[in-house]
Amino acid sequence: METKGSGRVAVLAAGSRNRPLWPPRMRAAGLCTASLASVGFLRFLGLPWSWGLAAVLTIYVGTGGWRLLRIIFKTALRDLFGLSVLCSVRYELRRHQQARHTIPCIFQELANQQPQKVALVDAVSGKQWTFQQLDEYSNAVANLFLQLGFGSGDVVAMFLEGRPEFVGLWLGLAKAGVEAALLNVNLRLEPLTFCLSTSGAKALIFGGELAAAISEVSVQLGKNLVKFCSGDFGPEGVTPDTHLLDPMLSEASTAPPMQVPPKGMDDRLFYIYTSGTTGMPKAAIVVHSRYYRIAAFGHHAYRMKPSDIIYNCLPLYHSAGNIMGVGQCLLYGLTVVIRKKFSASRFWDDCIKYNCTVVQYIGEVCRYLLKQPVRPAENQHHVRLAVGNGLRPAIWEEFTCRFGVQQIGEFYGATECNCSIANLDGKVGACGFNSRILPNVYPIRLVKVNEDTMELLRDAQGLCIPCQPGEPGLLVGQINQQDPLRRFDGYVNESATNKKIAYNVFRKGDSAYLSGDVLMMDELGYMYFRDRSGDTFRWRGENVSTTEVEGVLSRVLGQTDVAVYGVDVPGVEGKAGMAAIADPHSTLNPNALYQELQRVLPPYARPIFLRLLPQVDTTGTFKIQKTRLQREGFDLHQMSDRLFFLDLKQGRYIPMDENVYTGICTGAFSL
């Protein structure tokens, strides 16, 4: 990906002529030579060595070396701790690789060591699962599916809400060598069938609470897909070809399966669906070493202890909940309390009830908690650490002060990425760092892109142009498939995988993962999230694919031109969805459209704003042009088009006027 003939490239090239002639390493070498020469000359004259040292410092400081000294002074302890975390994770991974261990193997050993310790707690029912119970349940799953003829490399899709059984199911499948495809429980109709069909699943395990969603697509799923229902189902029942899983598991052997799949740390464990940057959800490949790496980094970076109890109210079909959270249980023996759905009113009560010391969040969780009335429970807990991503700098300190949480463990990372970073020392607003002293220890970079097209900008040698401190850029990570910390396993779809790889990035012949996210790094190496680029934005803790929503809207509206994008709303995390729809004859009924959207789109993907305009701008290659639309947002002062706002309390779109606009900007309307 590169931009040719771009005016921005010309500007950047011109700017590069004003940079220092010598690169940093050559400048350092020159300083060293000059310093040694000065010391030698003074010693030749018979002057004291202290005079030579003073001369060296004078040369060093006089040529800008004081900046490096300042960086070393301020970041050395942080960087050394980060290096120790990196070494610990690398050592553990190498040990497990050499032993041909897998995630189920590691858990099995842990369960044997502490069988009666509580592993998982269901916050809704209060039911506790010991390590022995989780081990035996997962053994039953493995033995049942092996008995049914499933084997190594087969795929079974899972579609159920978060609870201990969710963990036992995918873990049991992994013990049999079967790979689980973890489906987002908000999927319905076309996106649901798409994810199932592209996973290559031979069977589907769904929760009874989602039986209606499966019934809606039973015809599209066909008769070859074997269906199992876990848990209680509603009065509508299940389709006749569905097997009830719980009675079958009660009769299966709870002993470790006799057949051990020939897998190692570099083999596939399961798939997590992510919207990526374009199109329908994609199945990201999670190998055993990736699962270990994510959980291990969180464990060591935030100094978690075996006595910690984690409160996890995040979806288990996402990596934050299932790997960063549950991984602490499966790999390090911590107790994890699972609540299937976040509840702001129950959050601190649960933490007190189960004596939690660590909580997980996404940015919205913290904001929802701050909006709750002050209650005694919020300061009677024992939570010392909150781990997650997306916490806005504006509410960071308010959150820690009000709730008495000692440390925020903010991190950046996607399920499939190889450039995860973490905030180790609580720097407000930062999602991680990269060492300015030893940048090549963890080879990630921010590189310059064309702001309109997000294409990589390159120098005269054809390499990517690294950003200077203070400049926003695309985060990339150098790929090395032999290194579990730097490998990129991509997606089930090979074409989608190739789109996330760039070549000749750091040096000729290399390859790097493209995160699709724009960050900014300060002089000390702290990194701050700026924006989610491409055709994806984040809303209500979910990545929303604009291409997917555009396709649904266009189909519902009879193939009308539609542009979907995210817009900033004052005081709100993420970006709210906005749809610009071509309506040249003013015939579109927003509320009739909303009734249809409730059927075909999950709540987080439904546009909050509608903009009805004569036509939607397109490029010369018939691509929707969103730059101007995104810039104007929902500001009615910048356009004459009809605007509508989704009032969730009324359950309908209402026309945007001055009062509504002011109410949104001041927080009077709930989003």
Side-chain angles (χ1 to χ4, degrees):
M1 298 171 63
E2 54 187 297
T3 303
K4 296 181 180 179
S6 167
R8 286 179 55 82
V9 176
V11 172
L12 286 163
S16 66
R17 288 193 282 269
N18 296 323
R19 295 176 187 164
L21 180 63
W22 302 103
R25 288 182 181 177
M26 296 184 68
R27 289 203 305 274
L31 284 172
C32 183
T33 302
S35 301
L36 290 174
S38 66
V39 172
F41 180 68
L42 290 173
R43 292 297 292 159
F44 175 75
L45 295 177
L47 297 174
W49 66 269
S50 57
W51 285 36
L53 179 61
V56 169
L57 290 174
T58 300
I59 293 173
Y60 193 68
V61 172
T63 53
W66 63 271
R67 292 191 182 90
L68 180 58
L69 290 176
R70 175 178 175 272
I71 291 171
I72 293 173
F73 177 76
K74 286 183 169 290
T75 66
L77 290 178
R78 178 201 69 184
D79 291 3
L80 286 173
F81 177 58
L83 183 62
S84 72
V85 171
L86 200 66
C87 290
S88 296
V89 176
R90 188 178 293 280
Y91 168 76
E92 291 176 12
L93 269 171
R94 183 172 298 171
R95 178 166 58 85
H96 289 304
Q97 282 182 316
Q98 291 174 345
R100 293 289 296 172
H101 286 165
T102 59
I103 298 303
C105 291
I106 297 168
F107 168 75
Q108 188 90 51
E109 186 176 324
L110 199 60
N112 292 336
Q113 293 172 2
Q114 50 184 42
Q116 298 310 312
K117 182 177 179 179
V118 175
L120 301 173
V121 179
D122 187 337
V124 176
S125 67
K127 183 180 178 181
Q128 298 183 347
W129 289 50
T130 65
F131 278 85
Q132 180 176 332
Q133 289 172 319
L134 180 58
D135 186 35
E136 291 178 348
Y137 181 88
S138 59
N139 286 341
V141 173
N143 287 318
L144 173 62
F145 278 83
L146 286 170
Q147 182 183 339
L148 293 173
F150 292 84
S152 186
D154 287 339
V155 178
V156 172
M158 288 176 49
F159 187 57
L160 64 162
E161 293 178 343
R163 50 181 180 268
E165 287 88 350
F166 186 104
V167 180
L169 285 168
W170 75 252
L171 181 61
L173 292 171
K175 286 184 176 183
V178 177
E179 300 152 11
L182 311 181
L183 304 181
N184 186 324
V185 298
N186 291 297
L187 295 174
R188 295 293 184 273
L189 300 175
E190 185 182 351
L192 176 57
T193 55
F194 175 84
C195 290
L196 274 168
S197 62
T198 56
S199 70
K202 291 186 175 181
L204 166 67
I205 301 173
F206 64 91
E209 69 280 4
L210 295 170
I214 297 301
S215 295
E216 287 180 333
V217 296
S218 59
V219 175
Q220 293 91 321
L221 297 182
K223 296 181 179 180
N224 292 329
L225 185 71
V226 185
K227 295 188 281 292
F228 300 90
C229 179
S230 171
D232 299 327
F233 47 85
E236 66 278 358
V238 294
T239 55
D241 60 343
T242 298
H243 304 277
L244 300 183
L245 185 62
D246 295 347
M248 299 173 72
L249 288 176
S250 65
E251 297 178 2
S253 170
T254 58
M258 298 295 291
Q259 301 172 239
V260 179
K263 290 200 170 190
M265 292 296 279
D266 293 335
D267 292 308
R268 297 183 181 189
L269 176 61
F270 55 56
Y271 307 96
I272 287 181
Y273 281 82
T274 172
S275 60
T277 55
T278 58
M280 290 289 231
K282 300 187 292 290
I285 299 168
V286 178
V287 298
H288 291 255
S289 63
R290 176 166 294 276
Y291 189 99
Y292 195 98
R293 168 200 166 178
I294 295 173
F297 266 122
H299 186 84
H300 293 293
Y302 300 120
R303 297 184 173 94
M304 295 186 193
K305 307 183 291 288
S307 58
D308 277 326
I309 299 174
I310 300 177
Y311 185 65
N312 182 354
C313 57
L314 305 184
L316 297 187
Y317 53 79
H318 277 177
S319 55
N322 198 7
I323 306 180
M324 182 65 79
V326 171
Q328 307 309 322
C329 167
L330 303 184
L331 305 183
Y332 294 101
L334 280 66
T335 299
V336 176
V337 179
I338 297 172
R339 177 172 279 278
K340 67 178 181 180
K341 190 175 182 180
F342 165 69
S343 168
S345 60
R346 292 290 310 168
F347 191 92
W348 297 114
D349 291 330
D350 281 346
C351 290
I352 294 169
K353 180 178 180 180
Y354 297 109
N355 200 28
C356 298
T357 55
V358 180
V359 297
Q360 290 187 267
Y361 70 87
I362 53 175
E364 290 83 351
V365 165
C366 299
R367 183 168 59 85
Y368 296 154
L369 291 173
L370 285 170
K371 281 199 168 186
Q372 288 288 299
V374 175
R375 302 168 59 225
E378 65 188 41
N379 291 118
Q380 295 173 352
H381 58 80
H382 296 95
V383 174
R384 63 174 179 82
L385 168 67
V387 179
N389 51 41
L391 177 56
R392 277 192 300 130
I395 64 171
W396 187 301
E397 291 176 300
E398 182 184 358
F399 181 85
T400 57
C401 292
R402 174 173 166 179
F403 300 120
V405 177
Q406 300 170 24
Q407 183 182 5
I408 298 294
E410 177 81 5
F411 64 88
Y412 167 87
T415 302
E416 69 274 29
C417 84
N418 70 344
C419 50
S420 302
I421 52 177
N423 183 334
L424 305 182
D425 56 3
K427 174 72 172 178
V428 174
C431 60
F433 75 97
N434 193 31
S435 174
R436 297 294 311 283
I437 306 169
L438 300 169
N440 293 324
V441 170
Y442 191 56
I444 64 173
R445 292 289 185 278
L446 297 182
V447 297
K448 293 186 178 182
V449 292
N450 182 303
E451 292 180 2
D452 293 325
T453 65
M454 294 308 297
E455 292 182 335
L456 299 171
L457 300 178
R458 297 181 180 271
D459 60 19
Q461 287 73 44
L463 301 178
C464 290
I465 303 171
C467 294
Q468 299 301 312
E471 295 180 339
L474 183 74
L475 179 64
V476 300
Q478 192 175 52
I479 296 173
N480 180 351
Q481 290 301 103
Q482 308 308 313
D483 185 343
L485 302 186
R486 292 163 56 188
R487 62 181 291 151
F488 172 55
D489 299 292
Y491 311 96
V492 171
N493 184 302
E494 187 176 351
S495 174
T497 300
N498 293 335
K499 289 178 181 178
K500 298 292 282 186
I501 301 175
Y503 298 92
N504 302 320
V505 176
F506 294 77
R507 60 175 183 269
K508 288 289 185 181
D510 72 355
S511 60
Y513 164 79
L514 304 173
S515 70
D517 291 328
V518 175
L519 282 73
M520 188 275 289
M521 183 178 71
D522 67 16
E523 188 182 22
L524 300 180
Y526 289 105
M527 291 195 179
Y528 305 85
F529 184 85
R530 289 289 296 269
D531 201 6
R532 190 169 299 277
S533 65
D535 289 325
T536 302
F537 60 90
R538 196 161 181 82
W539 181 246
R540 294 186 182 177
E542 301 282 354
N543 289 338
V544 181
S545 168
T546 60
T547 305
E548 177 185 346
V549 179
E550 285 168 355
V552 172
L553 280 170
S554 183
R555 177 169 52 80
V556 168
L557 296 170
Q559 305 306 320
T560 299
D561 281 348
V562 177
V564 175
Y565 45 97
V567 296
D568 291 312
V569 180
V572 178
E573 265 85 22
K575 290 181 181 290
M578 186 165 185
I581 302 171
D583 184 29
H585 305 296
S586 302
T587 56
L588 191 146
N589 183 332
N591 290 306
L593 172 63
Y594 182 59
Q595 295 301 315
E596 186 65 22
L597 293 183
Q598 288 180 296
R599 290 186 60 255
V600 297
L601 284 177
Y604 63 82
R606 297 167 193 160
I608 301 298
F609 300 100
L610 296 181
R611 178 176 179 177
L612 308 183
L613 64 175
Q615 66 179 33
V616 176
D617 295 337
T618 58
T619 66
T621 54
F622 303 103
K623 294 179 180 178
I624 298 295
Q625 179 58 262
K626 303 180 185 180
T627 305
R628 178 179 63 85
L629 298 173
Q630 287 175 310
R631 184 173 61 250
E632 294 172 351
F634 63 96
D635 187 350
L636 53 80
H637 304 112
Q638 295 195 45
M639 67 197 78
S640 59
D641 303 318
R642 291 190 297 154
L643 289 179
F644 294 86
F645 165 68
L646 179 57
D647 187 332
L648 294 174
K649 288 186 177 179
Q650 297 188 44
R652 65 187 184 92
Y653 284 107
I654 60 175
M656 178 88 76
D657 57 21
E658 194 68 44
N659 291 333
V660 173
Y661 177 79
T662 302
I664 294 169
C665 294
T666 58
F669 282 92
S670 173
L671 295 180

